[in-house]
Amino acid sequence: MSEHFWFTVLGPVRAQRGSTEIELGSRQQRAVLAVLLLRENGHASLSELIEAVWGTAPPRTAGQTIRTYIHRLRKSLGPAHDAGTSFIVSAGNGYALRVSPDQLDLSVFRQRVAMAEGAVGTGHHARAIAHLRDALDLWRGEPLAGIPGTYAMSQRNRLEALRLVAVERRINVEYELGRFGEATAELFDLVAKHPLNERFREMLMFSLCKTGRKAEALAVYREVWDLLSEDLGAEPGPRLQVLHERVRRADPELLVSDIFPDPEVGPAVPESPAGTTLGVSPPRAPSPPPADLPTLDGRDNELDLIEALLAVDAQGVATVAIGVIVVMARAGRTTRAEDWADRIAHRFPDGHIYLDLRGCDSSSPAMTPMEASGSILRSLGVASSLLPSGVEGRTALYRTLLSGRRILLVLDNARDAEQIRPLLTGTPSSLVVVTS
């Protein structure tokens, strides 16, 4: 039987063969391995690897250097199976690292979170807590520790967002079992590490209130009020303000459902290859574009203008842009936009999302930013039960998950700027196309 391999990204980037640590070389060489591991068996192009290691100013020899790193990693890792095949395989104009779900800590994390969701669904809350604790035990400090560059930083933020969602979910399940006191110490620590995170403040105030520590709960609110007013000139959000008032009045009807409301029911999304319901998988369209609209000629000028917005460098990498197509209803806008999106989708290897915002459809109400952001997050693989309860939280999670990834987002039938503003990706590697 071959030795078990174990790769980690939820901490320092490491590889082990059995109990033996594998030498991975320089920080830049480990950065290449990190990119391949984060793809979870997906393909990374040569230009993507170059950008991840050197950013926007690579040396002229970057391509050859990446090939050298790949050669050295193949030699260090050795064969993946008894048959002698390499972990790293050539794929198109780049490479992929083939690992099974039980060989990568991130994939195992996803599996355990999915097992927890299954346990909650069958009423086994204690089992769900155990699965979530096992998932969180896989973290060994800062993700991608020791890997330099903006790519690593963006991925570090994405992974940390996944961890915090799992922590919030575990506390939610503990609340369902009436374990309010157990979460309090942890929430104090989370608030100290994330002082402007109103969600953790809300959960801490609730825990303190339910354990008879009303004065401390009110002090938590006063502290965040002072922080926000001094640092940002802002006030706490409406949810926190309402909770503060209910705590102040010692509201006897304050329930877990007030802190963790039932998630809205949304369309099911396919599981990612790793079988997870949490995290980013290749996006699937939340709904297909209408099939009955005519494809009219005469819109090429608009589409050419949008394509011109794609600033493409020597490696074919597109930078962020927002394109808007505005034409009369039923004039082929949707079909033309989808045709064009299909034509350039290859530039966005992390996925293509289509969303009908219903802003121009009098037969049904326009989709709210809350609904739209929830639909996008579900299409990215976030379980409905893990969706943040407010549009601001959903937007923050959505942008964090897309950080460093290349996504093509088509927002069809937009009503106005207010409807689409929370849906903009905020990442310099994606394209948003809006039709109206």
Side-chain angles (χ1 to χ4, degrees):
M1 181 180 295
S2 60
E3 292 180 291
H4 181 72
F5 282 84
W6 179 244
F7 297 90
T8 66
V9 293
L10 305 180
V13 176
R14 300 172 60 194
Q16 289 178 278
R17 183 188 298 109
S19 60
T20 304
E21 187 86 13
I22 298 174
E23 175 56 48
L24 298 177
S26 68
R27 292 196 304 167
Q28 290 181 331
Q29 188 166 297
R30 283 186 289 120
V32 170
L33 179 64
V35 175
L36 297 176
L37 288 171
L38 289 170
R39 291 297 171 135
E40 296 183 79
N41 287 307
H43 158 266
S45 68
L46 183 61
S47 62
E48 289 170 325
L49 292 169
I50 290 172
E51 184 179 5
V53 174
W54 290 285
T56 57
R60 287 185 298 175
T61 59
Q64 184 56 47
T65 303
I66 292 292
R67 295 183 184 94
T68 299
Y69 289 156
I70 293 292
H71 172 75
R72 292 175 180 171
L73 286 170
R74 281 172 169 161
K75 186 176 180 180
S76 296
L77 296 175
H81 308 286
D82 292 331
T85 57
S86 174
F87 275 103
I88 302 176
V89 299
S90 298
N93 65 338
Y95 303 93
L97 192 146
R98 303 304 187 196
V99 294
S100 61
D102 66 339
Q103 292 178 320
L104 176 62
D105 59 354
L106 177 58
S107 298
V108 175
F109 170 79
R110 296 180 189 280
Q111 289 176 334
R112 291 177 180 176
V113 170
M115 291 167 64
E117 289 303 308
V120 169
T122 56
H124 295 92
H125 290 71
R127 188 180 304 167
I129 291 171
H131 287 317
L132 287 166
R133 289 190 183 279
D134 287 344
L136 292 164
D137 283 345
L138 291 166
W139 294 72
R140 295 290 186 267
E142 182 182 64
L144 307 178
I147 302 299
T150 55
Y151 172 84
M153 183 182 299
S154 67
Q155 292 301 307
R156 201 170 285 127
N157 292 337
R158 178 178 72 89
L159 294 171
E160 178 64 9
L162 295 183
R163 186 185 73 83
L164 293 179
V165 170
V167 168
E168 181 177 333
R169 181 54 168 156
R170 198 207 71 240
I171 294 174
N172 176 198
V173 181
E174 289 182 342
Y175 282 176
E176 293 291 346
L177 295 180
R179 300 178 181 176
F180 303 111
E182 295 180 22
T184 304
E186 182 179 10
L187 284 166
F188 268 118
D189 184 56
L190 288 168
V191 165
K193 292 178 179 177
H194 309 276
L196 296 179
N197 187 310
E198 295 189 32
R199 183 63 174 145
F200 291 141
R201 297 267 179 181
E202 184 181 4
M203 293 161 63
L204 177 57
M205 288 176 64
F206 180 80
S207 287
L208 291 169
C209 181
K210 299 302 284 188
T211 53
R213 300 161 70 177
K214 174 182 173 181
E216 290 178 79
L218 295 175
V220 170
Y221 182 81
R222 285 195 299 272
E223 182 183 44
V224 73
W225 178 284
D226 291 342
L227 279 172
L228 289 170
S229 61
E230 291 174 8
D231 293 354
L232 303 175
E235 297 179 354
R239 282 180 58 90
L240 203 55
Q241 292 190 40
V242 169
L243 177 62
H244 168 256
E245 180 60 24
R246 295 184 69 178
V247 170
R248 191 185 63 80
R249 292 188 286 104
D251 187 345
E253 298 181 359
L254 185 59
L255 303 173
V256 173
S257 59
D258 295 317
I259 305 300
F260 295 97
D262 292 335
E264 61 179 317
V265 177
V269 296
E271 289 187 340
S272 71
T276 178
T277 56
L278 174 65
V280 176
S281 58
R284 299 290 184 265
S287 58
D292 61 341
L293 293 182
T295 300
L296 300 181
D297 292 328
R299 299 297 170 195
D300 290 328
N301 288 340
E302 292 97 324
L303 300 178
D304 288 344
L305 282 173
I306 296 177
E307 190 153 8
L309 292 173
L310 289 173
V312 180
D313 64 17
Q315 282 79 37
V317 177
T319 56
V320 71
I322 302 170
V324 183
I325 304 173
V326 182
V327 297
M328 291 176 61
R330 304 197 65 80
R333 172 193 64 240
T334 295
T335 304
R336 295 296 284 174
E338 273 295 301
D339 286 347
W340 177 83
D342 288 341
R343 198 165 72 224
I344 55 93
H346 65 279
R347 300 188 188 179
F348 301 91
D350 293 315
H352 168 197
I353 298 175
Y354 171 90
L355 188 63
D356 184 359
L357 297 176
R358 304 194 302 265
C360 310
D361 185 357
S362 59
S363 64
S364 56
M367 188 175 286
T368 66
M370 183 77 167
E371 294 170 327
S373 57
S375 184
I376 291 174
L377 281 170
R378 283 190 295 269
S379 76
L380 291 170
V382 178
S384 293
S385 58
L386 296 179
L387 291 176
S389 55
V391 66
E392 292 160 348
R394 293 184 178 193
T395 299
L397 176 59
Y398 156 56
R399 290 175 178 170
T400 299
L401 291 176
L402 292 191
S403 179
R405 289 178 173 257
R406 293 197 174 91
I407 295 288
L408 173 60
L409 176 61
V410 178
L411 301 175
D412 193 21
N413 289 325
R415 180 188 58 204
D416 52 33
E418 294 304 314
Q419 187 186 31
I420 66 169
R421 186 171 287 113
L423 308 179
L424 302 181
T425 62
T427 174
S429 53
S430 295
L431 173 68
V432 181
V433 176
V434 182
T435 74
S436 185

